[in-house]
Amino acid sequence: MQTSQIAAPQDLIATHDIPPARRSAGKWLITLATLALAAIVLYQGLYAAGQTETGFANWRPVLYAYLAWGVALGWGQVLMRGEGGKRALFVLPAILFTVAVVIFPTVAGLYIAFTDWNLASFDGRSFNGLANFWALMHDSYFWNALRNMGYYVLAVLVQYAIAFGLALLLNAEIRARKFFRVAFLMPFMLSPVAVGWMVGKSLMEYRFGPAATLARHLGWENPAFFASPWIARFSIMAMDAWVWIPFVMILLLAGLQALPKEILEAAKVDGANGWRSFWQIIFPLMLPVSITAIIIRIIFQLKLADIVITVTSGGPGGSTDTVSSFIFREYRDRSNVGYGTMVAEFYFILIALFVALLLWGSSRWMKRVTG
């Protein structure tokens, strides 16, 4: 605390010691570099949109201009802020990288979302306003995939309960505890595509798969795991849970190992049994870790696509479809770049709003519970 309190006044003194002419030069450098970058982006954007007949052959000059703007921005910060500007240089590469690979593609995607662009058409790309948006609003396949996402997100709560039980088991003094920790983590080490092929396409294959053979011996006459909607949906949920439960488990296990042992020992002395100790001590203390694990898992779940694409391609009848697999088919099967991008941008906004609401609600609930 003392170091940060002392460093701030020193930064202010260092900034005031910078000559006004130098600070002015830094401001002008950043302003001119920004205007130049904006002019080049606008020039190339108009050419790419067909509004002008002159322009660069590709977007590589815009990349060079962006890198030059980053250098000018860093240099301007040093001129304006001195030592504070030099420290800002350590953050600048991360900011530039985020803008280049996150913000710029998102903005470019917004433009593509309002165009009629099908790679199978010879007409090329053309602006079509809100046509893609209204098509999305009336697309029953998209809303079906979005409804399925609700089922998949609710399944996260079941995954959390199973993961918490496994974490409690691995935190206890049991034999071969280290072996079981590694064994339970093995599914998470596999690619979801590999899991789709090994489990969905092999073990659960309805003719010769071991799971289907076992189901026949148990009395199921036609063990088709992906023929009826709800059985197919539960099968996808089971494979997805097998992959991701170890991830939630390891987060909860880390939280359990960080709990103060003095409190648990005091509860034993007071006569609290295992069930009472869990609900009144362990579970409340684990709430911050639990909320974090659930939110992170929900974010990953909202991007579910690999297993669905590999095993069912969204079938039967769209019962296992997800929004991500639906977007994938729009690009791969229909080559519909404009509409697929509209779906992706709209889904991105929905995810951002949902996660923001989830964080806000969980924060208020935690304050009420712990306050």
Side-chain angles (χ1 to χ4, degrees):
M1 286 293 297
Q2 293 180 354
T3 304
S4 60
Q5 292 175 353
I6 295 173
Q10 289 178 347
D11 289 344
L12 292 175
I13 294 174
T15 303
H16 287 302
D17 288 342
I18 298 174
R22 181 177 172 181
R23 279 186 287 177
S24 178
K27 291 180 181 179
W28 275 107
L29 178 62
I30 295 175
T31 302
L32 292 176
T34 303
L35 291 175
L37 176 63
I40 293 174
V41 171
L42 180 61
Y43 175 71
Q44 181 64 10
L46 292 174
Y47 175 70
Q51 301 299 318
T52 60
E53 297 181 356
T54 59
F56 302 115
N58 51 52
W59 285 80
R60 189 175 301 169
V62 178
L63 174 61
Y64 296 152
Y66 178 71
L67 295 176
W69 174 78
V71 174
L73 180 62
W75 192 6
Q77 288 292 322
V78 173
L79 291 176
M80 291 169 54
R81 300 171 54 194
E83 291 298 324
K86 292 179 181 179
R87 284 194 290 270
L89 293 179
F90 290 95
V91 185
L92 186 60
I95 296 175
L96 294 175
F97 182 78
T98 302
V99 171
V101 302
V102 177
I103 297 178
F104 176 75
T106 303
V107 174
L110 281 174
Y111 167 72
I112 296 174
F114 293 100
T115 62
D116 181 13
W117 188 11
N118 194 305
L119 298 180
S121 173
F122 294 102
D123 297 333
R125 183 177 57 201
S126 61
F127 183 77
N128 66 348
L130 294 173
N132 288 334
F133 177 76
W134 295 123
L136 172 63
M137 291 295 103
H138 297 88
D139 192 340
S140 60
Y141 294 101
F142 167 75
W143 295 109
N144 171 71
L146 191 62
R147 182 174 62 252
N148 289 338
M149 292 309 305
Y151 299 135
Y152 290 129
V153 169
L154 289 176
V156 170
L157 298 179
V158 179
Q159 296 178 20
Y160 164 74
I162 297 174
F164 209 140
L166 292 175
L168 289 171
L169 178 65
L170 295 180
N171 193 52
E173 295 295 334
I174 60 173
R175 292 184 178 181
R177 183 171 59 174
K178 293 182 179 179
F179 167 77
F180 285 118
R181 286 181 181 179
V182 176
F184 287 153
L185 277 175
M186 288 182 65
F188 187 61
M189 301 176 188
L190 298 173
S191 166
V193 175
V195 172
W197 276 102
M198 289 190 304
V199 180
K201 290 288 191 178
S202 299
L203 294 179
M204 302 176 75
E205 203 272 331
Y206 75 97
R207 293 173 300 174
F208 310 112
T213 303
L214 176 62
R216 287 191 187 93
H217 288 302
L218 295 177
W220 188 2
E221 295 181 1
N222 184 24
F225 292 97
F226 305 104
S228 61
W230 273 106
I231 295 178
R233 193 178 289 125
F234 279 125
S235 299
I236 294 293
M237 289 178 182
M239 286 187 287
D240 180 62
W242 189 68
V243 174
W244 285 99
I245 281 177
F247 171 75
V248 182
M249 180 198 71
I250 202 68
L251 294 179
L252 296 174
L253 180 60
L256 288 172
Q257 292 180 340
L259 293 179
K261 295 182 179 180
E262 295 81 6
I263 297 179
L264 301 178
E265 292 174 356
K268 290 181 180 179
V269 172
D270 292 340
N273 57 25
W275 188 250
R276 185 179 176 185
S277 176
F278 172 77
W279 279 113
Q280 295 186 0
I281 299 176
I282 297 177
F283 187 75
L285 290 176
M286 284 289 293
L287 275 178
V289 180
S290 297
I291 295 297
T292 302
I294 291 174
I295 291 177
I296 293 175
R297 179 66 191 99
I298 287 176
I299 293 174
F300 280 113
Q301 188 75 335
L302 290 170
K303 300 184 291 183
L304 174 64
D306 314 61
I307 293 178
V308 174
I309 294 171
T310 303
V311 180
T312 65
S313 296
S319 60
T320 61
D321 206 5
T322 67
V323 178
S324 297
S325 63
F326 173 76
I327 294 170
F328 173 79
R329 289 198 310 276
E330 283 295 323
Y331 283 110
R332 185 196 65 179
D333 298 341
R334 302 179 182 89
S335 302
N336 200 345
V337 177
Y339 181 68
T341 305
M342 171 60 75
V343 177
E345 293 285 345
F346 184 76
Y347 188 49
F348 168 73
I349 294 173
L350 288 182
I351 289 178
L353 292 176
F354 176 71
V355 172
L357 183 63
L358 195 63
L359 290 172
W360 175 78
S362 61
S363 177
R364 287 178 59 88
W365 183 69
M366 282 290 299
K367 289 180 181 178
R368 187 169 66 250
V369 170
T370 58

